[in-house]
Structure formats: structure tokens, C-alpha cells
């Protein structure tokens, strides 16, 4: 009898230790270089509220981070030598405006220069096989399958918290592709299916390319991005108007990323429950 009691107590302790925290809001983030983080981060970007966490998607000895573990979300939050991106200030905006008992987690799997095809669950390999060496080398950091790594990390995160939304910034490499919204929908649907979530249950926030006013070379893609909510009912477009860009016409400055990330956060806050209901 005593032995059975000990087993029951140990089982209950294990269940408690692994219990999902409904006050831990997790967000998935993916895309190409602007989501990966292109700007050099500054000291201010390495200081962050401990309530904002990143689930490391690759091993980074230089950051003393191991894949699959949570850390304070100080830049860089994508890979070992990436820069500042919108996800950094998305998380900051949330923890600043959510009740103090709510934590925020981010998982960022992004690769500069890639088309949306890299995240197509069943067809990505044919895209990788024809990609240039530099892109293939970045893909290898995710063991050859960035989408698979995103899902792997998301399933780990589901043991700790609740996935509340998806952030996307991608499109430069698909500029002019009228089928881009349907391709994004395919990725979105697969994410929800693989995580055993209901259809259209997560908001998808998609950021615009650098605007024409800022000299954006891919600004024409914004008219295609604008149609995404017609394909995904729970999709929302985040404006890049007045978000400062750099001279290459493709990437935002650090200040531009801070503003864009804040806009992602403001939109997500409007989609979450009102503070009085927490």
C-alpha cells in the first residue's frame, strides 16, 4: 500500500512539473531576412523583461544557448549570429501591456533570401536542392528542414504554454507571385494540422515589405500581401508605412524593426482577450 502511495505521489509531481501554463503565450515566427533579423542590434536590444522568452531553435555556443530550451529573449533570437528583427519588439510590446502574470514566448525559424516554398511541408526539398550554396548552408543549421524544426519546437512549447498566434515576414523573394497568398495558406494550414489545432484558429500577422516611400525595391509585393485576408480569414496585414529602411531598399533599420515589431504587438494585443478577462 505504501509503495502504491509513493508511485501516485511521484506521478502527480511529474504531471504538475509538466503542466501546461495557460498564462504562457507562445508565438511562432518565420520568414526571410527581415524576420531573421538584419539590423545590428544595440545594447538596448539585449535588455529585456524576463517575462519575454525565446525557445532556442538551434544550438548556439556563443550565446550559451541549447536548442529546445527557453531563455530570456535578448537579441539575437533567431540563430547564433543574426540581428534585430520585428519579433524582438513584438514580444516587448506584449509584456509591457499584458498583465504581469502573463509570460510571452517566441519561436523564430527564419532564413534570409528564401522563398515561401522553403516552408512547404511536402515540397520544400525540391526547392532546397536547386537553391544556391549559401542558402543550403543556412538550411543545414535546421538539419535541412526549417519547417520541420518550427513544428518540432512548437510541439515542445505546447508542453509549457499555449500557442496564440503566428508572425510572418516574407515575400521579397516572391515579389510578383500572385499565388503567394495560397502558398502561405498551405503553410498556415499545415502548421495548424501538425499542431492539432482547429482550422483557422490562430491569427496570422503578415508584415509588409519596405514601403515605396522608403525606397522599397519589393514594395509592389504589398498589393499581393494585402489580399492574404481574403484567403486566410484570420490573417492581418501589418503596415510598414514610415518604418525606416536602409539604403539597400530591402531591409529595415534597427529603428524600423522596433516600430514594425511594435505594430505586430499592438495588433496581436487587440486580438487577445481584454485585460479584464485575464
Amino acid at each position: 500500500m505504501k509503495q502504491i502511495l509513493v508511485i501516485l505521489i511521484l506521478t502527480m509531481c511529474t504531471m504538475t512539473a509538466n503542466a501546461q501554463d495557460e498564462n504562457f503565450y507562445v508565438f511562432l515566427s518565420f520568414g526571410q531576412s527581415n524576420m531573421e533579423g538584419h539590423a545590428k542590434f544595440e545594447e538596448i536590444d539585449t535588455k529585456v523583461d524576463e517575462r519575454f522568452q525565446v525557445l532556442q531553435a538551434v544550438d548556439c555556443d556563443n550565446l550559451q544557448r541549447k536548442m529546445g530550451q527557453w531563455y530570456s529573449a535578448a537579441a539575437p533570437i533567431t540563430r547564433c549570429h543574426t540581428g534585430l528583427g520585428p519579433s524582438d519588439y513584438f514580444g516587448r510590446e506584449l509584456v509591457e501591456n499584458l498583465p504581469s502574470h502573463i509570460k510571452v514566448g517566441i519561436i523564430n525559424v527564419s532564413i534570409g533570401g528564401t522563398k515561401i516554398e522553403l516552408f512547404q511541408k511536402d515540397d520544400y526539398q525540391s526547392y532546397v536542392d536547386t537553391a544556391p550554396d549559401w542558402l543550403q548552408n543556412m538550411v543545414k543549421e535546421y538539419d535541412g528542414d526549417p519547417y520541420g524544426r518550427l513544428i518540432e519546437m512548437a510541439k515542445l512549447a505546447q508542453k509549457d504554454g499555449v500557442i496564440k498566434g503566428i508572425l510572418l515576414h516574407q515575400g521579397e523573394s516572391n515579389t510578383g507571385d500572385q499565388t503567394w497568398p495560397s502558398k502561405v495558406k498551405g503553410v498556415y494550414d499545415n502548421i495548424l494540422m501538425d499542431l492539432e489545432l482547429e482550422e483557422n484558429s490562430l491569427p496570422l500577422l503578415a508584415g509588409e515589405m519596405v514601403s515605396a516611400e522608403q525606397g522599397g525595391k519589393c514594395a509592389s509585393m504589398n498589393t499581393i500581401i494585402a489580399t492574404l485576408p481574403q484567403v486566410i480569414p484570420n490573417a492581418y496585414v501589418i503596415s510598414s508605412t514610415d518604418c525606416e529602411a536602409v539604403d539597400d531598399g530591402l531591409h529595415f533599420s534597427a529603428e524600423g524593426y522596433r516600430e514594425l515589431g511594435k505594430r505586430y504587438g499592438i495588433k496581436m494585443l487587440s486580438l487577445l482577450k481584454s485585460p479584464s478577462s485575464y
Side-chain angles (χ1 to χ4, degrees):
M1 183 68 179
K2 187 182 292 184
Q3 192 173 19
I4 294 174
L5 183 61
V6 170
I7 292 172
L8 285 173
I9 291 172
L10 288 173
T11 301
M12 289 175 66
C13 288
T14 301
M15 289 175 64
T16 301
N18 294 329
Q20 184 185 60
D21 183 356
E22 293 185 356
N23 293 319
F24 188 14
Y25 293 1
V26 179
F27 300 88
L28 311 183
S29 176
F30 73 102
Q32 54 183 109
S33 58
N34 276 312
M35 187 59 88
E36 180 182 59
H38 189 266
K40 184 177 180 181
F41 55 84
E42 302 169 24
E43 185 178 356
I44 188 176
D45 306 312
T46 64
K47 299 181 190 296
V48 63
D49 190 315
E50 289 294 326
R51 289 166 50 220
F52 180 29
Q53 300 275 307
V54 60
L55 185 62
Q56 191 68 24
V58 297
D59 288 328
C60 285
D61 291 340
N62 64 313
L63 301 174
Q64 296 183 323
R65 296 178 186 172
K66 295 293 183 184
M67 184 182 74
Q69 296 184 20
W70 291 103
Y71 298 91
S72 175
I77 63 171
T78 309
R79 294 195 309 283
C80 312
H81 301 284
T82 52
L84 188 71
S87 294
D88 293 84
Y89 279 79
F90 164 80
R92 284 169 169 80
E93 183 69 17
L94 261 59
V95 295
E96 285 177 11
N97 291 280
L98 288 170
S100 60
H101 67 280
I102 303 291
K103 294 191 303 178
V104 173
I106 196 84
I107 302 169
N108 195 346
V109 175
S110 300
I111 289 184
T114 187
K115 290 186 175 183
I116 193 65
E117 281 80 351
L118 180 63
F119 296 95
Q120 292 179 323
K121 176 182 176 180
D122 298 319
D123 303 315
Y124 77 94
Q125 192 60 59
S126 60
Y127 173 70
V128 173
D129 288 344
T130 58
D133 290 344
W134 58 264
L135 194 147
Q136 290 189 18
N137 288 334
M138 285 195 286
V139 169
K140 287 176 183 176
E141 294 191 50
Y142 296 109
D143 289 336
D145 183 3
Y147 174 84
R149 179 61 53 82
L150 182 65
I151 297 301
E152 178 188 2
M153 294 298 102
K155 287 182 176 179
L156 280 179
Q158 284 180 311
K159 297 177 182 179
D160 300 319
V162 181
I163 296 176
K164 291 285 189 176
I166 304 172
L167 314 180
L168 170 68
H169 199 286
Q170 192 282 327
E172 292 90 350
S173 294
N174 288 88
T175 297
D177 182 358
Q178 298 292 334
T179 66
W180 180 86
S182 63
K183 291 174 181 176
V184 172
K185 175 175 168 53
V187 177
Y188 173 81
D189 288 346
N190 278 333
I191 290 173
L192 269 59
M193 180 180 64
D194 287 340
L195 297 180
E196 299 182 359
L197 299 172
E198 292 184 13
E199 185 178 358
N200 294 319
S201 61
L202 293 180
L204 171 67
L205 275 52
E208 290 183 335
M209 309 293 95
V210 172
S211 68
E213 291 75 14
Q214 290 286 326
K217 294 179 179 178
C218 300
S220 62
M221 185 63 183
N222 291 338
T223 59
I224 295 176
I225 294 173
T227 67
L228 190 60
Q230 299 173 21
V231 180
I232 302 173
N234 209 0
Y236 306 87
V237 177
I238 307 303
S239 172
S240 67
T241 301
D242 296 327
C243 289
E244 185 181 80
V246 295
D247 291 341
D248 67 6
L250 296 171
H251 301 101
F252 298 94
S253 67
E255 191 54 43
Y257 285 124
R258 294 181 189 116
E259 176 60 28
L260 186 62
K262 180 178 179 180
R263 293 179 186 181
Y264 273 89
I266 290 171
K267 184 60 186 179
M268 187 60 72
L269 285 165
S270 75
L271 298 171
L272 296 170
K273 294 179 181 179
S274 62
S276 62
S277 63
Y278 288 104

Coordinates of all heavy atoms in Angstrom, one line a residue, residues 26-28 54-59 66-70 106-109 142-143 145-161 163 195:
V26 N 2.6 31.7 -26.4 CA 3.7 31.4 -27.3 C 3.3 31.8 -28.7 O 2.1 31.5 -29.1 CB 4.0 29.9 -27.2 CG1 5.1 29.5 -28.2 CG2 4.4 29.5 -25.8
F27 N 4.2 32.3 -29.5 CA 4.0 32.7 -30.8 C 5.1 32.2 -31.8 O 6.3 32.2 -31.4 CB 4.0 34.3 -30.9 CG 2.9 34.9 -30.1 CD1 3.2 35.2 -28.7 CD2 1.7 35.1 -30.6 CE1 2.2 35.7 -27.9 CE2 0.7 35.7 -29.8 CZ 0.9 36.0 -28.5
L28 N 4.7 31.7 -32.9 CA 5.6 31.2 -33.9 C 5.9 32.3 -34.9 O 5.0 33.1 -35.3 CB 4.9 30.0 -34.7 CG 4.3 28.9 -33.8 CD1 3.8 27.8 -34.8 CD2 5.3 28.4 -32.8
V54 N 12.6 33.2 -25.4 CA 12.7 32.6 -26.7 C 13.0 31.1 -26.5 O 13.8 30.8 -25.6 CB 13.9 33.3 -27.5 CG1 15.2 33.2 -26.8 CG2 14.0 32.7 -28.9
L55 N 12.4 30.3 -27.3 CA 12.7 28.9 -27.4 C 13.8 28.7 -28.4 O 13.5 28.9 -29.6 CB 11.5 28.0 -27.6 CG 11.7 26.5 -27.6 CD1 12.1 26.1 -26.2 CD2 10.5 25.8 -28.0
Q56 N 15.0 28.4 -28.0 CA 16.1 28.3 -29.0 C 15.9 27.2 -30.0 O 15.6 26.1 -29.6 CB 17.4 28.1 -28.2 CG 18.7 28.2 -29.0 CD 18.9 29.7 -29.4 OE1 18.4 30.6 -28.8 NE2 19.7 29.9 -30.5
A57 N 16.0 27.6 -31.3 CA 15.7 26.6 -32.4 C 17.0 26.0 -32.9 O 16.9 25.0 -33.7 CB 15.0 27.3 -33.5
V58 N 18.2 26.5 -32.5 CA 19.5 25.9 -32.9 C 20.4 26.0 -31.7 O 20.2 26.9 -30.9 CB 20.1 26.6 -34.2 CG1 19.2 26.4 -35.4 CG2 20.3 28.0 -33.9
D59 N 21.4 25.2 -31.7 CA 22.4 25.3 -30.6 C 23.3 26.5 -31.0 O 23.7 26.7 -32.1 CB 23.3 24.0 -30.6 CG 22.6 22.8 -30.0 OD1 21.7 23.0 -29.1 OD2 22.9 21.7 -30.4
K66 N 21.1 26.3 -25.8 CA 20.9 25.0 -26.4 C 19.5 24.9 -27.0 O 18.5 25.4 -26.5 CB 21.0 23.9 -25.3 CG 22.4 23.8 -24.7 CD 23.4 23.3 -25.7 CE 24.8 23.1 -25.1 NZ 25.8 22.7 -26.1
M67 N 19.5 24.2 -28.1 CA 18.2 24.0 -28.8 C 17.2 23.4 -27.9 O 17.5 22.4 -27.2 CB 18.4 23.1 -30.1 CG 17.2 22.9 -30.9 SD 17.5 21.8 -32.3 CE 17.6 20.3 -31.5
G68 N 15.9 23.9 -28.0 CA 14.8 23.3 -27.2 C 14.7 23.8 -25.8 O 13.9 23.2 -25.1
Q69 N 15.5 24.8 -25.4 CA 15.4 25.3 -24.1 C 15.0 26.8 -24.2 O 15.3 27.5 -25.1 CB 16.7 25.2 -23.4 CG 17.1 23.7 -23.1 CD 18.4 23.6 -22.3 OE1 18.8 24.5 -21.6 NE2 19.0 22.4 -22.4
W70 N 14.3 27.3 -23.1 CA 13.9 28.6 -23.0 C 14.9 29.5 -22.4 O 15.6 29.2 -21.5 CB 12.6 28.7 -22.2 CG 11.4 28.1 -22.8 CD1 10.8 26.9 -22.4 CD2 10.6 28.7 -23.8 NE1 9.7 26.7 -23.2 CE2 9.5 27.8 -24.0 CE3 10.6 29.9 -24.5 CZ2 8.5 28.0 -25.0 CZ3 9.6 30.1 -25.5 CH2 8.6 29.2 -25.7
I106 N 8.6 33.3 -27.8 CA 8.7 33.3 -29.3 C 9.5 32.2 -29.8 O 10.5 31.8 -29.1 CB 9.3 34.7 -29.7 CG1 9.1 35.0 -31.2 CG2 10.8 34.8 -29.3 CD1 7.8 35.5 -31.5
I107 N 9.2 31.7 -30.9 CA 10.0 30.7 -31.6 C 10.2 31.2 -33.0 O 9.3 31.5 -33.8 CB 9.3 29.3 -31.7 CG1 8.9 28.8 -30.4 CG2 10.2 28.3 -32.5 CD1 8.0 27.6 -30.4
N108 N 11.5 31.5 -33.4 CA 11.7 32.1 -34.7 C 12.6 31.2 -35.5 O 13.8 30.9 -35.2 CB 12.4 33.5 -34.5 CG 12.4 34.3 -35.7 OD1 12.1 33.9 -36.8 ND2 12.7 35.6 -35.5
V109 N 12.0 30.8 -36.7 CA 12.8 30.0 -37.6 C 12.7 30.7 -39.0 O 11.7 30.6 -39.7 CB 12.2 28.5 -37.7 CG1 12.9 27.8 -38.9 CG2 12.3 27.8 -36.4
Y142 N 19.2 24.0 -39.6 CA 17.9 23.5 -39.1 C 17.8 22.0 -39.5 O 16.7 21.5 -39.7 CB 16.8 24.3 -39.6 CG 16.7 25.7 -39.2 CD1 17.0 26.7 -40.1 CD2 16.4 26.0 -37.9 CE1 16.9 28.1 -39.7 CE2 16.4 27.3 -37.4 CZ 16.6 28.4 -38.3 OH 16.6 29.7 -37.9
D143 N 19.0 21.4 -39.7 CA 19.0 19.9 -40.1 C 18.3 19.7 -41.4 O 17.7 18.6 -41.6 CB 18.5 19.0 -39.0 CG 19.4 19.0 -37.8 OD1 20.6 19.2 -37.9 OD2 19.0 18.7 -36.6
D145 N 15.6 21.0 -42.7 CA 14.2 21.2 -42.7 C 13.7 22.2 -41.8 O 13.2 21.9 -40.7 CB 13.5 19.8 -42.4 CG 12.0 19.8 -42.6 OD1 11.4 20.9 -43.0 OD2 11.4 18.8 -42.2
P146 N 13.7 23.5 -42.2 CA 13.2 24.6 -41.3 C 11.8 24.5 -40.8 O 11.5 24.7 -39.7 CB 13.4 25.9 -42.1 CG 14.6 25.5 -43.1 CD 14.3 24.1 -43.4
Y147 N 10.9 24.1 -41.7 CA 9.5 23.9 -41.3 C 9.4 22.8 -40.3 O 8.7 22.9 -39.3 CB 8.6 23.5 -42.5 CG 7.2 23.1 -42.1 CD1 6.3 24.1 -41.9 CD2 6.8 21.8 -41.9 CE1 5.0 23.8 -41.5 CE2 5.6 21.5 -41.5 CZ 4.6 22.5 -41.3 OH 3.4 22.2 -40.9
G148 N 10.1 21.7 -40.5 CA 10.1 20.6 -39.5 C 10.6 21.0 -38.2 O 10.1 20.7 -37.1
R149 N 11.7 21.9 -38.2 CA 12.2 22.4 -36.9 C 11.2 23.3 -36.2 O 11.1 23.3 -35.0 CB 13.5 23.2 -37.2 CG 14.2 23.8 -35.9 CD 14.6 22.7 -34.9 NE 15.4 21.7 -35.4 CZ 16.7 21.8 -35.6 NH1 17.4 22.9 -35.3 NH2 17.4 20.7 -36.1
L150 N 10.5 24.1 -37.0 CA 9.5 25.0 -36.4 C 8.4 24.2 -35.7 O 8.0 24.5 -34.6 CB 8.8 25.9 -37.5 CG 7.8 26.9 -37.1 CD1 8.4 28.0 -36.2 CD2 7.1 27.5 -38.3
I151 N 8.0 23.1 -36.3 CA 6.9 22.3 -35.7 C 7.5 21.5 -34.5 O 6.8 21.4 -33.5 CB 6.4 21.3 -36.8 CG1 5.7 22.0 -37.9 CG2 5.4 20.3 -36.1 CD1 4.5 22.9 -37.5
E152 N 8.7 21.0 -34.6 CA 9.4 20.3 -33.5 C 9.4 21.2 -32.3 O 9.1 20.8 -31.2 CB 10.8 19.9 -33.9 CG 11.6 19.2 -32.8 CD 13.0 19.0 -33.2 OE1 13.4 19.4 -34.3 OE2 13.8 18.4 -32.4
M153 N 9.8 22.5 -32.5 CA 9.9 23.4 -31.3 C 8.5 23.8 -30.8 O 8.3 24.0 -29.6 CB 10.7 24.7 -31.8 CG 12.2 24.4 -32.1 SD 13.1 23.8 -30.7 CE 13.3 22.0 -31.1
A154 N 7.6 23.9 -31.8 CA 6.2 24.3 -31.4 C 5.6 23.2 -30.5 O 4.9 23.5 -29.5 CB 5.4 24.6 -32.6
K155 N 5.9 22.0 -30.8 CA 5.3 20.9 -30.0 C 5.9 20.9 -28.6 O 5.3 20.6 -27.7 CB 5.5 19.5 -30.7 CG 4.6 19.3 -32.0 CD 4.9 18.0 -32.6 CE 3.9 17.8 -33.8 NZ 4.1 16.5 -34.4
L156 N 7.2 21.2 -28.6 CA 7.9 21.3 -27.2 C 7.2 22.4 -26.4 O 6.9 22.3 -25.3 CB 9.3 21.6 -27.4 CG 10.3 20.5 -27.7 CD1 11.7 21.0 -27.8 CD2 10.2 19.4 -26.6
A157 N 7.0 23.6 -27.1 CA 6.4 24.7 -26.5 C 5.0 24.5 -26.0 O 4.6 25.0 -25.0 CB 6.4 25.9 -27.4
Q158 N 4.2 23.6 -26.7 CA 2.9 23.3 -26.3 C 2.8 22.6 -24.9 O 1.8 22.5 -24.3 CB 2.2 22.4 -27.3 CG 1.7 23.2 -28.5 CD 1.1 22.3 -29.6 OE1 1.6 21.3 -30.0 NE2 -0.1 22.8 -30.1
K159 N 4.0 22.0 -24.5 CA 4.0 21.3 -23.2 C 4.1 22.4 -22.1 O 3.8 22.1 -20.9 CB 5.2 20.4 -23.1 CG 5.1 19.2 -24.1 CD 6.4 18.4 -24.0 CE 6.3 17.2 -25.1 NZ 7.6 16.4 -25.0
D160 N 4.6 23.6 -22.4 CA 4.9 24.6 -21.5 C 3.8 25.7 -21.5 O 3.5 26.3 -20.4 CB 6.2 25.3 -21.7 CG 7.4 24.3 -21.6 OD1 7.3 23.4 -20.7 OD2 8.3 24.3 -22.4
G161 N 3.3 26.0 -22.6 CA 2.4 27.1 -22.8 C 1.4 26.9 -23.9 O 1.2 25.8 -24.3
I163 N 0.0 28.1 -27.7 CA 0.3 28.9 -28.9 C -0.9 29.8 -29.2 O -2.0 29.3 -29.4 CB 0.7 27.9 -30.0 CG1 1.9 27.1 -29.7 CG2 0.9 28.7 -31.3 CD1 2.3 26.1 -30.7
L195 N 0.0 20.7 -35.4 CA 0.0 21.0 -34.0 C -1.4 20.6 -33.4 O -1.6 21.0 -32.2 CB 0.3 22.5 -33.8 CG 1.7 23.0 -34.2 CD1 1.8 24.5 -33.9 CD2 2.8 22.2 -33.5

